[in-house]
Amino acid sequence: MSKESSKTIESVLHEKRVFRPSEQVSDNARISSLDDYQNIYDLARKDPEKFWEEAARRELHWFKPFHQTLNWSNPPFAEWFSGGTTNISYNCLDRHITGPKANKTALIWEGEPGDVRQFTYKELHTDVCRTANALRTLGIKKGDLVALYMPMVPEAAIAMLACARIGAPHSVVFGGFSSDALRDRLIDGEAKAVITADGGFRKDKAVPLKKAVDAALSDGSCPTVKSVLVVQRTKEPIDMFSGRDHWWHELVPSQDEYCPAQQMESEERLFVLYTSGSTGKPKGVVHTTAGYNLWAHLTFQWIFDIKDNDIYWCTADVGWITGHSYIVYGPLSNGATTVMYEGAPRPSNPGAFWELIEKHKISIFYTAPTAIRAFMKTGREIPDKYDLSSLRLLGTVGEPINPEAWMWYREVIGGSKCPIVDTWWQTETGGVMISPLPGATPTKPGSATLPLPGIEADVVDSDGKSVEVEEGGYLVIKKPWPGMMRTIHGNPQRFKESYWEYLPFINGKPIYFAGDGARRDSDGYFWVMGRVDDVINVSGHRLGTMEIESALVSHPFVSEAAVVGRLDDLKGESIVAFVTLESGRDVNDQLFDELRSHVSKEIGSIARPDEIKFTDALPKTRSGKIMRRILRALASGEKISGDTSTLEDRSVLDKLRK
Ligand code: WTA
């Protein structure tokens, strides 16, 4: 551990500051005191099924009402709202356009070069219907999986809603993934079509997306993909393959402006989203129609305490779950105005975020701790140049936030008047699980505070017993909730093993283990400490160490690789790889660059190791398991503590130390 990082953990442990919601904030809030929160929490705890039944009937439109709230007879396979039919695209659009929200702005989009597009609910509805009809002309039917590999343009949200409208599950692949990573996901999901763009603008550069799609499809390994729909964004030259490729601007605008929303059974698939785990390839997390809709809807309402005049902006990419739940589905289901931004702050415009807040009078801003730490580093002079007085609420997501960054966010960006919601959740949970409610929960810098109503979270030891106050342990969830993932695409067994049997004591009990370590303080507040499995979190991007290792080993010179995370002040964690080479291969600078590019090609540049340590051998146990604990200590320059007696060959350690 570096000196700086240990300072951060120390400060989290000794954090004593408490910030209560101001009277003004509480008076205007839906849930306006800790007692209110507690009452709702107790209600949900006493009779969860009644609680969810009422919420689902109240908050969603049903074509046909459900007759059973929860079927948990075969855990961990849950069925929520059985017998009912609904459609998330209907809930996000149709139910708003018959009332006063028809001409309300649904989406404000700002392009990297500064172009702006806005859509009312009525306009968005029309565009989604046309796109849905276009997908139908391409032969896409209910149940067909459609992959999206898109820049942050409005068409990404439109395409998601269009897929949902006709009951075609989407699989959004982050535009920063390589063509190889895209290909893996297309094959695994048996995608029938890909929606992409010629490219996207990112940090003053045009990223070629269509070329990557062509490369992914070039070897014929995904024969299920019959068509590619291409948005024109950068106007860079691309190849269009006749019969397979179609321009969005040629196909979509001529379609009929109405497309009925497919009546979807509650448990029919809404989307698959790939995420990294401890073992094997990324897993396709499956979310279904009604439960996910309810969870994205309710959590958005609770944690942002959304008002009709709010302008809300989440800086995530639609390629991640945060973009799904809190750029598209949560905000639109609530009839809110959501902002989408194509770019990111960059050297030529370090104030890009603040400029946008000033320009669009954004009132709620939701971003990642890694971004806040980067802004801290460049100094408050930049945000201080902008008028940020429209802000009333701030949020963070993706990784633990250190109290220093939290305080900076509060003072410099929020002018010490905006509550901060530090929201803990995962791709698998569908939406936020632990978070303050802005009008109710006193906040402490660095704590995600309390679980949302209906969420029974606990911190347990390796026997599954709740730990004492201030003691660290595993963060678990003890009751099913509507937004929970339903399975891993094509691999229910792995779903069971990865989340419901991962800790030995769980075996057979319906307890969900999230992969994170946490502790609770004497107020019952949760302090999430980060992953305890082999997943690392680099700038809020979740990566499995195994995936990076496989990428390295697929290089012909590499014989073995082990990857660990090292705490990093800016990125949260950085990637350190220990690599042994095939005999006869020499270490040189060129090889370092080559291996980094190789990982970029295999996965994407987000997975590129920051450091590669070449070594003759890796420390292993007698049964041949790599001792990562030792590598983590070595990567951070820490002393190796704990038992090393299981090490097969102690001389490996001495060499590594040198
Ligand atoms: C981490 C992103 C601490 C955590 C929504 C989790 C957090 C992983 C927080 C999921 C938070 C997310 N405090 N850690 N507020 N939010 N995490 O699937 O380790 O990309 O398991 O979902 O991010 O990452 P994922």
Side-chain angles (χ1 to χ4, degrees), residues 275 320-322 396-401 422-428 434 448 514-516 528-531 537 540-542:
T275 192
W320 308 116
I321 190 70
T322 309
T396 75
V397 56
E399 42 176 330
I401 180 163
D422 171 358
T423 62
W424 176 84
W425 60 295
Q426 310 175 298
T427 305
E428 293 87 341
I434 303 180
D516 282 313
V528 179
M529 311 303 279
R531 303 288 304 199
N537 193 327
H541 300 317
R542 203 174 136 173

Side-chain angles (χ1 to χ4, degrees), residues 238-395:
I238 55 165
D239 297 323
M240 292 293 278
F241 295 91
S242 130
R244 187 194 78 183
D245 298 352
H246 308 266
W247 282 112
W248 178 292
H249 60 267
E250 287 173 3
L251 189 67
V252 174
S254 58
Q255 300 292 323
D256 200 273
E257 66 172 35
Y258 182 66
C259 170
Q262 178 81 44
Q263 301 200 10
M264 299 292 288
E265 301 281 341
S266 295
E267 283 301 340
E268 282 183 297
R269 281 196 308 173
L270 174 63
F271 65 84
V272 178
L273 183 60
Y274 287 82
T275 192
S276 301
S278 298
T279 53
K281 290 207 168 226
K283 18 186 200 206
V285 169
V286 173
H287 282 288
T288 56
T289 301
Y292 171 83
N293 192 166
L294 181 65
W295 198 235
H297 177 96
L298 258 190
T299 52
F300 181 79
Q301 198 182 82
W302 280 334
I303 59 181
F304 297 115
D305 192 31
I306 196 76
K307 306 277 171 14
D308 198 31
N309 59 357
D310 273 319
I311 311 282
Y312 160 90
W313 179 27
C314 163
T315 66
D317 191 287
V318 289
W320 308 116
I321 190 70
T322 309
H324 283 55
S325 302
Y326 300 112
I327 295 178
V328 182
Y329 292 123
L332 296 178
S333 186
N334 280 280
T337 300
T338 183
V339 175
M340 197 171 164
Y341 177 44
E342 184 183 29
R346 53 203 184 276
S348 62
N349 187 2
F353 277 8
W354 324 124
E355 194 180 313
L356 226 69
I357 292 176
E358 179 180 284
K359 180 171 168 188
H360 297 292
K361 302 211 168 19
I362 286 161
S363 56
I364 307 177
F365 179 62
Y366 190 33
T367 196
T370 187
I372 299 166
R373 289 193 297 265
F375 293 132
M376 265 174 92
K377 204 161 183 177
T378 46
R380 68 175 296 160
E381 306 79 71
I382 298 169
D384 278 350
K385 283 192 221 140
Y386 298 88
D387 177 7
L388 304 180
S389 61
S390 56
L391 289 171
R392 72 164 182 86
L393 178 59
L394 304 173

Side-chain angles (χ1 to χ4, degrees), residues 22 104 185 414 441 501 505 539:
S22 69
K104 175 176 173 167
R185 287 156 178 75
T441 320
E501 289 171 2
F505 66 84
S539 303

